[in-house]
Amino acid sequence: MSAIAKVSGNGIASAPRSGLGLSRSVGLVGLRGHVVEVEAHLAQGLPGFAIVGLPDAALSESRDRVRAAIASTGLALPHRRITVNLAPASLPKRGSGFDLAIAVALLAAARIVRPQECAKFVMLGELGLDGRVHPVRGVLPAVAAAVAQGHRRIVVAAQNAREAALVPDAEVHPVASLGDAAVLLGADPGDVVSSDSPVITADQAVPRADVGDLSDVVGQHQARYALEIAAAGGHHMLMVGPPGAGKTMLAKRLPTILPDLTDEQAVEVTAIHSLAGSLDPSLGLIRRPPFEAPHHTATAAAIVGGGSGLPRPGAVSLAHCGTLFLDESPEFKSSVLQTLRQPIEAGELVIHRSGGVARYPARFQLVMAANPCPCGMDEQRCQCTSLVQRRYFSRLSGPLLDRVDLHCQLRGIRLGDMSGEQMESSASVALRVSAARSAAAKRLQDTPWTLNSQVPGPWLRQNWSIRDAVLEPVQQAISRGHISMRAADRILRVAWTVADLAGRAAPDRSDVSAALALRAGGPAQ
Ligand SMILES: Nc1ncnc2c1ncn2[C@@H]1O[C@H](COP(=O)(O)OP(=O)(O)OP(=O)(O)O)[C@@H](O)[C@H]1O
Ligand SMILES: [Mg+2]
Ligand SMILES: [Zn+2]
């Protein structure tokens, strides 16, 4: 009897009594992928099926899926002792994406598919009990790792094909079922249940949904200017103003004045969205800065990521190289706001797991919006005391606000603002932002930083001296007790960005005053 007997068999040569099959897949730790060798061994002895090599719970369930999928493909598992080994054993293996590799390694061990063909491919896919191949998360970083490690030929679920094809040099073979994979690897098409799998080629990128333009925002000159500064210096920003002033409108338009992502950033950002399962591969690589706006009821897990199996990146990672917008920010739970401190300081999120740590990049620009008080009414009708207002803002605690360089106050929109004045477009503001960013990057070229917001206060004070006369407005504010030393550093950072936008080599007194004005509007602290 063959090791894997066809259920209604004719024509398959008797498979060896014991055999070895090898296939490959990719294990992800954070965003980093490692090629994993999957060896299937069929031995005489009591029938059984063991998976060894540090599998997690989802992977252990792979046995049942593989067993059922092989049966649904018209084949049967042998009455042999089956051992599947995932190597290197030291690498934790998570999730269900190894199913396909395990199944074809078994088919190779039984000589139903050609072992030498099988060894040529990397397999990424989960199996359904009916033999269908289901898409998995994280295909982009997995394929990128396989190609980088010399394995260009990749078999994926048809639904993952476009995403896999985003990786240059990848040769993508989409399959709809285990039967398709078996045929690809040399099984006789008459022997297996397969389907017509579509050949998928990468499409041209199509433009993303329209996010609006800065020219839509009427009036609010100071807030528009603050947004421009935020974009140019990468500064975190808080907008406080009455309902309907345009806070949400402005925040949503920040990406429209930011430059395109670099190639390296585009691959990294797309990989994160692939891992989160939120990628639309028909749009190509993500080349524009992302914009994430979690609702204030979001849990800490939704913000920072986590979950069993392959940890899912949270909003802070999805916003990597882009904007994290917290609308109605004082409404967020303070425990949730606290979780932002680590990524804001470190630029990445470290998720600790039994098998090691996963790191997801999370370098985002934080934009927060808030009403001046919890009643949500405009200035005229609001009757809240200043104590109530302060308590409302206390959730946005010191440590978080300490990192926010720009505090901007918006006033309600008035009838006169709608007079039909032509507002400047995003494209034209983006030109100034880009020039200012270049100037800062040039000045910072021998440092680890590229944006003014990244420069620590002490370094700033020591290395970029500004004449005392220029700093006078800040010194006065400190001596009157209006601002702290820390706040003074934030003002200096913003003053440099104001100067960069104005094309000046260093801030002058008016730049410092402009920066000071953009602090005065925030909540008391
Ligand atoms: N400055 C503005 N220019 C043009 N339209 C505006 C402006 N401000 C508000 N609007 C209009 O009002 C609507 C609400 O604006 P938006 O949601 O941005 O206000 P908000 O400040 O975020 O208010 P809330 O505090 O209620 O969230 C917008 O969709 C837009 O139609
Ligand atoms: Mg709003
Ligand atoms: Zn009020």
Side-chain angles (χ1 to χ4, degrees), residues 242-249 252 325 327-328 369-371:
K247 303 180 295 294
T248 304
M249 246 185 132
K252 285 193 171 147
F325 178 45
D327 208 352
E328 327 281 350
N371 286 324

Short mmCIF file of all heavy atoms in Angstrom, two decimals, residues 242-249 252 325 327-328 369-371, ligand 2:
data_model
loop_
_atom_site.label_atom_id
_atom_site.label_comp_id
_atom_site.label_asym_id
_atom_site.label_seq_id
_atom_site.Cartn_x
_atom_site.Cartn_y
_atom_site.Cartn_z
N PRO A 242 -13.85 75.40 19.32
CA PRO A 242 -15.27 75.04 19.47
C PRO A 242 -15.72 74.10 18.34
O PRO A 242 -15.05 74.00 17.30
CB PRO A 242 -15.99 76.39 19.37
CG PRO A 242 -15.05 77.27 18.61
CD PRO A 242 -13.67 76.82 18.96
N PRO A 243 -16.84 73.42 18.53
CA PRO A 243 -17.34 72.51 17.50
C PRO A 243 -17.55 73.23 16.18
O PRO A 243 -17.94 74.40 16.16
CB PRO A 243 -18.69 72.04 18.06
CG PRO A 243 -18.64 72.32 19.51
CD PRO A 243 -17.71 73.47 19.71
N GLY A 244 -17.24 72.54 15.10
CA GLY A 244 -17.50 73.09 13.78
C GLY A 244 -16.51 74.14 13.32
O GLY A 244 -16.73 74.82 12.33
N ALA A 245 -15.36 74.25 14.03
CA ALA A 245 -14.37 75.26 13.63
C ALA A 245 -13.49 74.75 12.49
O ALA A 245 -12.80 75.53 11.83
CB ALA A 245 -13.49 75.63 14.83
N GLY A 246 -13.50 73.44 12.28
CA GLY A 246 -12.70 72.88 11.19
C GLY A 246 -11.49 72.10 11.65
O GLY A 246 -10.58 71.85 10.87
N LYS A 247 -11.48 71.67 12.93
CA LYS A 247 -10.32 70.93 13.45
C LYS A 247 -10.14 69.61 12.72
O LYS A 247 -9.03 69.27 12.28
CB LYS A 247 -10.51 70.65 14.96
CG LYS A 247 -10.70 71.90 15.79
CD LYS A 247 -10.87 71.58 17.25
CE LYS A 247 -12.12 70.80 17.60
NZ LYS A 247 -13.38 71.55 17.36
N THR A 248 -11.24 68.87 12.59
CA THR A 248 -11.15 67.57 11.92
C THR A 248 -10.77 67.75 10.46
O THR A 248 -9.93 67.03 9.91
CB THR A 248 -12.50 66.83 12.05
OG1 THR A 248 -12.84 66.74 13.43
CG2 THR A 248 -12.42 65.44 11.47
N MET A 249 -11.39 68.75 9.85
CA MET A 249 -11.10 69.06 8.44
C MET A 249 -9.60 69.32 8.23
O MET A 249 -8.99 68.79 7.29
CB MET A 249 -11.82 70.36 8.10
CG MET A 249 -12.91 70.24 7.10
SD MET A 249 -13.51 71.92 6.76
CE MET A 249 -13.50 71.82 4.98
N LYS A 252 -7.31 66.15 8.76
CA LYS A 252 -7.39 65.19 7.65
C LYS A 252 -6.57 65.64 6.45
O LYS A 252 -6.21 64.84 5.60
CB LYS A 252 -8.84 65.03 7.21
CG LYS A 252 -9.63 64.19 8.17
CD LYS A 252 -10.94 63.78 7.55
CE LYS A 252 -11.63 62.76 8.43
NZ LYS A 252 -13.07 62.87 8.38
N PHE A 325 -4.16 60.57 14.28
CA PHE A 325 -5.07 61.65 14.65
C PHE A 325 -6.01 61.20 15.76
O PHE A 325 -6.74 60.22 15.59
CB PHE A 325 -5.87 62.09 13.42
CG PHE A 325 -6.88 63.17 13.71
CD1 PHE A 325 -6.56 64.28 14.49
CD2 PHE A 325 -8.18 63.08 13.20
CE1 PHE A 325 -7.49 65.27 14.76
CE2 PHE A 325 -9.12 64.07 13.46
CZ PHE A 325 -8.77 65.17 14.25
N ASP A 327 -9.06 62.48 17.43
CA ASP A 327 -10.11 63.48 17.45
C ASP A 327 -10.79 63.39 18.81
O ASP A 327 -10.84 62.32 19.39
CB ASP A 327 -11.11 63.16 16.32
CG ASP A 327 -11.80 64.42 15.80
OD1 ASP A 327 -11.62 65.48 16.41
OD2 ASP A 327 -12.51 64.32 14.78
N GLU A 328 -11.32 64.48 19.32
CA GLU A 328 -11.94 64.50 20.65
C GLU A 328 -10.98 63.86 21.66
O GLU A 328 -11.37 62.99 22.44
CB GLU A 328 -13.26 63.69 20.66
CG GLU A 328 -14.09 63.71 19.39
CD GLU A 328 -14.90 64.99 19.24
OE1 GLU A 328 -14.95 65.75 20.21
OE2 GLU A 328 -15.42 65.24 18.14
N ALA A 369 -7.14 66.73 18.56
CA ALA A 369 -8.12 67.81 18.54
C ALA A 369 -8.92 67.74 19.83
O ALA A 369 -9.06 66.67 20.42
CB ALA A 369 -9.05 67.66 17.34
N ALA A 370 -9.39 68.88 20.27
CA ALA A 370 -10.18 68.92 21.49
C ALA A 370 -11.10 70.12 21.48
O ALA A 370 -10.77 71.17 20.91
CB ALA A 370 -9.28 68.99 22.72
N ASN A 371 -12.26 69.97 22.11
CA ASN A 371 -13.11 71.12 22.38
C ASN A 371 -12.56 71.79 23.64
O ASN A 371 -11.90 71.14 24.43
CB ASN A 371 -14.56 70.68 22.62
CG ASN A 371 -15.23 70.26 21.33
OD1 ASN A 371 -14.98 70.84 20.27
ND2 ASN A 371 -16.05 69.24 21.39
MG MG B 2 -14.17 67.21 14.72
#
